[in-house]
Amino acid sequence: MMTEDTRKAGARRASGRSNGEGRKADSALTRSKLIEAAAKLFSDNGFQAVSVREIAQAAGVNPALVNYHFGSKQQLFEEVIRIYAADNVADRMTRLAQERRRLGRLELEDVVEIYLAPMIDPQFDTDSDGVFSRLHAVMIAERMEAFDQIAARAFTAVNVTFLDELERCLPHLTRHTITWRLFAMVGSMLYFGVRPAPPGLHLISKGGCDPMNREDMRKQLINYFIEGMRAPVR
Amino acid sequence: MMTEDTRKAGARRASGRSNGEGRKADSALTRSKLIEAAAKLFSDNGFQAVSVREIAQAAGVNPALVNYHFGSKQQLFEEVIRIYAADNVADRMTRLAQERRRLGRLELEDVVEIYLAPMIDPQFDTDSDGVFSRLHAVMIAERMEAFDQIAARAFTAVNVTFLDELERCLPHLTRHTITWRLFAMVGSMLYFGVRPAPPGLHLISKGGCDPMNREDMRKQLINYFIEGMRAPVR
DNA sequence: TCAATCATTAAACAAATGTTTAAAACTATT
DNA sequence: AATAGTTTTAAACATTTGTTTAATGATTGA
C-alpha cells in the first residue's frame, strides 16, 4: 500500500503500449536484456534470492531501469512468466495444428507426445532449455498472488484444447479422470525440468538417468505416460 | 567466510549432543517450537521469503534463539528438511515391512501404493499434511548446496529398497527404466502436494479435481501409475 | 533549431535483513 | 546458598534490499 500508487504510475508511464508498437529502439533493447537476464537468474535461484541489482548487472544496465520499464521487481517477474509461458503454449498449439494437418485424426500417442514435446522432444531444444520448468517451480515454491491469474490466462486455452483431444481418444474415461492424469504428466515433466536434476536421481542411477539426455528420457517415459493415461479407473 | 567461524562455534556450542540426551527441557521445547513454526512458514512461502523474526514470532521465542540453537537460518532450514524427510521415509519403510509381513510376496500394485502412501493415502493424513511436498518444492526452487547431500542421505536407502521390489515385480523392464518412472511418480505427487493446488487445475476442472480430496485423487491416479509403470519400453 | 518527450544515470531513501553481543534470567550441582 | 553452566533477552551491528528522486543525455517532431 505504501508504494502502490507510485509503482502503478511508474509502470503505466513506462510500459504504455497504447500509443504504438516499435516506438523506441533503445527501450525495447533494454527491456529484452532485462527480461533475458531476469529469466536466467530467477530460474536458477528463485525470485526472492535474486536482487534487482544482480539482474541489472547481468543485463548491463542501470538498476533503476527495472522500475522504470516494469514498475517493480515483481512485475518484471510476471512479465518473464508471461513471455515464457506464451512461448511454451505457442509451441504446443503450433505442433498440434501441424500434426493434425499431417495425420488427420490424431491417436492418443500423438496427442500425448505433442503435449509433452516442449519438455521431452530432443529436436525441440530451444535456447531457453529448462528455463520454463524452473520458473514454474519458482512460482509454486514462492507463492505469488498474481500467478494464478497469469497461469489461468496463459494455460487454460491450451489445456482445454488438449483435454478435448484426449477425451476423444479415451472414450472409456471421464474428463475428470483425464484432467487428473494430464496434470500428473505435467508434474513429472516439471520435476525433470529442474536444475540440477531431481535430488537423488543422479546418485541412485549412478549417472544413468539424466534429464538433459532428452532422447533417453523420452524413450523411457513416453509409454509410461501413454499407457498410464489409457489405464481404466477400476 | 565472514561468519563461518562464529556460526560453527555457535552451532557447536548449542547443538552439542555429545554430552547427553534429554538434558534441558526448555531448550528442547524451544527447538521444537522453532522447527514447527519454520516448517509451516518455509513450506508456505519459501526460504528467502521468510525472515528469522517471523519464525521466532510464530514460535513465540526470541529471534536470536534461531542462531543460538541452530547456528543460522539456513541450518534451521536444513534441520527441518532432515526431520520431515526422515518422517516421510520412515512412513514408507514401516508400511513396506507391515505389508510384507501381511501379504508375503508383494505385487506391483502393493509396492506402488506403499511408495505413494505418504502422499496419496487418505488414511495417512498426518498433521503435517502436504508440508513435506512443499518443502521439497522450496528446496528445488531455491537451490541450496547442502540439499543434495541431505537428500542423498535421507532418500537413497528407501529408493534402493523400492527399486529392488519394483525390479522383482517388473522382470521385463530394466532398472534404468524403472528408475526414470519412479521419479516421474514422485514428480507428479510433489506437484499435487503444493498449496494452493497446481495452477489452473481448479479452474479447468471447475473445482472437480482437488488434491485435498485424497480419496478421489487416489482413485483417479493409482491405475495411471501402476499401468504406466508396467508399460513396455517399445 | 527549439521544445518536448523519453531513456538513462548516480545518488540517496527508508525499511528490513541475518547475525552478534553483552547482560540478565534460569537451572542444576555442590 | 553459592557457583557454574545453560538459555533467554533486548539492543545494536553492518549489509542489503526495492524503490524513488532529480539531474543529465538522447531522440523525436514541429
Side-chain angles (χ1 to χ4, degrees):
Chain A
M1 61 184 69
M2 57 174 170
T3 55
E4 192 64 25
D5 293 341
T6 49
R7 243 202 299 152
K8 280 187 180 172
R12 235 181 269 121
R13 174 163 40 107
S15 66
R17 274 207 194 96
S18 51
N19 65 342
E21 189 54 30
R23 46 195 174 59
K24 193 61 66 60
D26 286 3
S27 176
L29 187 73
T30 301
R31 283 178 64 95
S32 70
K33 279 195 291 188
L34 279 171
I35 285 173
E36 192 183 2
K40 176 94 175 76
L41 286 167
F42 284 144
S43 69
D44 279 345
N45 310 315
F47 175 73
Q48 299 262 8
V50 175
S51 71
V52 171
R53 287 169 176 80
E54 286 179 77
I55 299 168
Q57 187 177 356
V61 306
N62 189 283
L65 292 178
V66 167
N67 297 275
Y68 178 77
H69 283 289
F70 300 94
S72 69
K73 178 190 175 188
Q74 160 129 4
Q75 284 170 285
L76 167 58
F77 181 77
E78 291 172 16
E79 187 68 19
V80 169
I81 297 297
R82 267 185 230 106
I83 289 171
Y84 277 77
D87 279 2
N88 184 276
V89 167
D91 283 351
R92 288 203 280 234
M93 292 299 254
T94 304
R95 287 220 152 195
L96 185 68
Q98 275 179 359
E99 294 300 290
R100 256 205 286 234
R101 235 178 296 122
R102 197 168 67 88
L103 300 171
R105 213 154 134 286
L106 298 175
E107 302 297 321
L108 175 64
E109 287 84 345
D110 306 316
V111 180
V112 168
E113 192 131 14
I114 294 166
Y115 189 82
L116 295 178
M119 295 129 144
I120 208 177
D121 190 328
Q123 297 191 312
F124 224 99
D125 246 342
T126 70
D127 57 341
S128 66
D129 177 272
V131 170
F132 172 73
S133 298
R134 279 172 280 161
L135 286 173
H136 204 120
V138 168
M139 288 184 297
I140 288 170
E142 309 178 58
R143 187 124 332 278
M144 319 201 59
E145 310 157 22
F147 173 51
D148 282 326
Q149 278 192 4
I150 296 174
R153 266 196 265 272
F155 295 116
T156 301
V158 68
N159 280 336
V160 167
T161 300
F162 275 85
L163 281 174
D164 289 343
E165 290 285 342
L166 290 170
E167 204 173 12
R168 185 182 50 72
C169 298
L170 299 164
H172 62 297
L173 297 177
T174 65
R175 196 179 180 95
H176 179 71
T177 301
I178 298 171
T179 304
W180 271 111
R181 295 176 177 185
L182 184 70
F183 276 76
M185 279 178 22
V186 171
S188 294
M189 295 320 301
L190 289 179
Y191 194 47
F192 289 125
V194 304
R195 296 284 179 285
L201 177 59
H202 185 81
L203 179 73
I204 207 158
S205 69
K206 299 186 183 71
C209 298
D210 177 12
M212 298 292 280
N213 184 349
R214 297 287 229 260
E215 202 115 23
D216 184 43
M217 181 167 78
R218 187 199 157 282
K219 183 172 155 64
Q220 304 301 330
L221 291 181
I222 189 67
N223 253 21
Y224 163 87
F225 290 128
I226 291 168
E227 294 305 321
M229 190 59 91
R230 217 194 307 259
V233 167
R234 205 177 24 155
Chain B
M1 59 184 71
M2 56 174 172
T3 55
E4 193 64 25
D5 293 341
T6 51
R7 245 203 294 152
K8 281 188 178 173
R12 235 182 268 118
R13 173 164 39 109
S15 66
R17 276 208 193 96
S18 51
N19 65 341
E21 189 53 32
R23 45 194 174 61
K24 194 59 66 61
D26 285 3
S27 177
L29 187 73
T30 300
R31 284 179 63 96
S32 70
K33 280 195 292 189
L34 279 170
I35 284 173
E36 192 182 2
K40 176 94 176 75
L41 286 167
F42 284 144
S43 68
D44 279 346
N45 310 315
F47 176 73
Q48 299 263 6
V50 175
S51 71
V52 170
R53 286 167 177 84
E54 285 180 78
I55 298 168
Q57 187 177 356
V61 305
N62 190 284
L65 291 178
V66 167
N67 297 275
Y68 179 76
H69 283 289
F70 299 94
S72 69
K73 178 191 175 189
Q74 160 129 5
Q75 283 170 285
L76 167 58
F77 180 77
E78 290 172 16
E79 187 67 20
V80 169
I81 297 297
R82 267 185 229 106
I83 289 171
Y84 277 75
D87 279 2
N88 183 276
V89 167
D91 283 351
R92 289 204 280 236
M93 293 298 254
T94 303
R95 286 220 152 195
L96 186 68
Q98 275 179 359
E99 294 301 288
R100 257 205 284 235
R101 234 179 294 123
R102 198 169 65 88
L103 300 172
R105 212 154 133 286
L106 298 175
E107 302 297 321
L108 174 64
E109 288 84 345
D110 306 316
V111 180
V112 168
E113 193 132 13
I114 294 167
Y115 189 81
L116 295 178
M119 295 129 144
I120 206 176
D121 191 329
Q123 297 191 313
F124 224 100
D125 246 342
T126 70
D127 57 342
S128 66
D129 176 271
V131 170
F132 171 73
S133 299
R134 279 171 280 163
L135 286 173
H136 203 119
V138 168
M139 287 184 300
I140 288 170
E142 309 178 56
R143 187 124 334 278
M144 319 200 58
E145 310 157 20
F147 174 49
D148 283 325
Q149 279 191 5
I150 296 174
R153 264 195 267 272
F155 295 116
T156 301
V158 69
N159 280 336
V160 166
T161 300
F162 276 85
L163 282 173
D164 289 343
E165 290 285 342
L166 289 170
E167 203 173 14
R168 185 182 49 73
C169 299
L170 298 164
H172 62 298
L173 297 178
T174 65
R175 196 180 181 92
H176 179 70
T177 301
I178 298 171
T179 304
W180 272 111
R181 295 176 177 186
L182 184 71
F183 276 76
M185 280 179 20
V186 172
S188 294
M189 296 320 300
L190 289 179
Y191 194 48
F192 289 125
V194 303
R195 295 285 180 285
L201 176 59
H202 185 82
L203 180 73
I204 207 159
S205 69
K206 298 186 183 71
C209 298
D210 177 12
M212 297 293 280
N213 185 348
R214 296 288 229 261
E215 202 114 23
D216 184 42
M217 182 167 78
R218 186 200 157 282
K219 183 172 155 63
Q220 305 300 330
L221 291 180
I222 189 67
N223 254 23
Y224 163 87
F225 290 128
I226 291 168
E227 295 305 321
M229 190 59 91
R230 217 192 309 258
V233 166
R234 202 174 28 152

